[in-house]
Amino acid sequence: MAARIIDGKKIAGLTRADIAARAARLEAETGVKPGLAVIIVGDDPASQVYVRNKKRACEEAGMYSVVIEMPADTTQAELMEQIEQLKKDEKIHGILVQLPLPKHLDEDAVIAAIPPEKDVDAFHPANTGKIMIGDYDFLPCTPAGVMKLLEYEGIEIAGKECVVVGRSNIVGKPQAMLLLHANGTVTVCHSKTKDLAEVTRRADILVVAIGRANFITGDMIKPGAVVIDVGMNRLEDKKLCGDVDFASCSQVAGAITPVPGGVGPMTITMLLENTLTAAKKAASKKL
Ligand code: GUN
């Protein structure tokens, strides 16, 4: 039987409407309009699309948004100075530096320069540490979006076999931690995992974030599993596809996210949620 399709676009739309209502209430009650600054260095076309989408989503949610475009030859000192200015800017509650940065820039140093209370990506070591102990202000946007999809779909996590394929700092590692906090039994797979299919076939909930087009095929999943595809790959014919081969997996899974229209719209939604959280904290300090 074909799997139920998890409609990330619909769930993102409903969640964004709720965020917009809460942002409007915050502004009416405190005068604080949530504000997000996005810094983009260089002219990578994919990054430019992501940044444009973030700005548009902010504005649609009634938030203030600025995009700071810096040339590809920006120095580390210039980028640090820009972050320093945004740190002091009271209109800005969230600062996001779009990754990847050009090779000559030190990404870790840039992430560490963003003040943790404005770190709406939740990439700063202080925030990643807080996630580890389960006491956090912000969650990284993509894993948080995945959790929101599971919650919306009424998918129980406690006691389930959860397999995360991919161990990046942005998705795989925090995703594993969030599933663990929700009492899943969590396994993380990566490029050195010996028999990947043997592990993925054990999963009741499978989250895939490796950046390899159509990598997970129907024979690698358990019948009835929930399959969440974080991948976003562009094929030679310019079509987007995930890390999961949708055609074969949707015949075996119980529920599955499509690409596009699955996890993607949730990532920006959680960025809006984090910006609102940061603005609320700033507003409560002013009172
Ligand atoms: N590049 C791709 N995804 C992300 C993200 O979630 N945050 C930032 N800052 N850059 C990205």
Side-chain angles (χ1 to χ4, degrees), residues 19-287:
I19 293 169
R22 286 186 281 133
R25 205 176 318 135
L26 179 72
E27 193 178 355
E29 287 171 1
T30 67
V32 172
K33 188 184 188 78
L36 174 73
V38 178
I39 301 176
I40 176 167
V41 184
D43 45 20
D44 175 61
S47 289
Q48 283 173 331
V49 173
Y50 292 140
V51 167
R52 257 204 312 276
N53 289 343
K54 285 169 185 168
K55 184 168 175 28
R56 184 168 1 104
C58 260
E59 287 166 357
E60 283 172 4
M63 298 183 182
Y64 172 63
S65 155
V66 285
V67 172
I68 295 148
E69 295 183 58
M70 302 183 81
D73 61 356
T74 297
T75 65
Q76 186 82 19
E78 286 166 338
L79 181 52
M80 292 300 207
E81 174 51 32
Q82 183 60 69
I83 293 171
E84 200 53 42
Q85 283 181 30
L86 293 169
K87 225 163 138 172
K88 290 184 251 163
D89 189 336
E90 286 198 0
K91 292 202 300 297
I92 296 300
H93 307 100
I95 303 171
L96 181 150
V97 179
Q98 187 67 25
L99 303 178
L101 288 169
K103 292 278 172 286
H104 67 282
L105 295 171
D106 179 347
E107 234 165 61
D108 290 342
V110 169
I111 288 170
I114 297 170
E117 67 276 13
K118 292 193 177 187
D119 171 36
V120 284
D121 263 326
F123 291 170
H124 189 287
N127 285 325
T128 55
K130 282 181 152 193
I131 291 158
M132 182 87 164
I133 58 172
D135 169 26
Y136 38 74
D137 302 312
F138 304 119
L139 287 176
C141 301
T142 301
V146 169
M147 298 305 281
K148 198 90 185 166
L149 288 179
L150 295 174
E151 183 192 326
Y152 186 90
E153 291 290 311
I155 293 161
E156 181 77 37
I157 299 167
K160 295 283 174 63
E161 287 289 338
C162 303
V163 174
V164 178
V165 186
R167 57 172 159 180
S168 69
N169 289 335
I170 294 182
V171 184
K173 284 185 206 165
Q175 187 70 70
M177 209 47 68
L178 299 189
L179 291 164
L180 185 60
H181 290 325
N183 297 316
T185 300
V186 184
T187 305
V188 182
C189 298
H190 46 77
S191 54
K192 300 283 187 294
T193 297
K194 285 231 163 63
D195 187 349
L196 181 67
E198 188 272 319
V199 184
T200 56
R201 269 197 293 268
R202 277 193 246 141
D204 300 309
I205 300 171
L206 179 67
V207 181
V208 190
I210 46 172
R212 292 179 66 175
N214 298 323
F215 184 79
I216 299 287
T217 44
D219 58 315
M220 296 170 77
I221 63 175
K222 173 167 156 177
V226 176
V227 178
I228 307 288
D229 189 353
V230 179
M232 181 74 82
N233 310 290
R234 205 169 279 282
L235 298 172
E236 274 181 14
D237 64 4
K238 301 263 186 285
K239 275 204 187 123
L240 280 180
C241 79
D243 294 346
V244 171
D245 177 47
F246 188 85
S248 61
C249 289
S250 61
Q251 297 305 310
V252 185
I256 189 167
T257 58
V259 176
V263 175
M266 292 307 291
T267 296
I268 295 186
T269 304
M270 301 323 286
L271 175 64
L272 300 177
E273 184 75 61
N274 284 348
T275 304
L276 177 58
T277 300
K280 272 189 182 165
K281 284 218 160 198
S284 70
K285 277 195 194 139
K286 275 173 75 177
L287 294 176

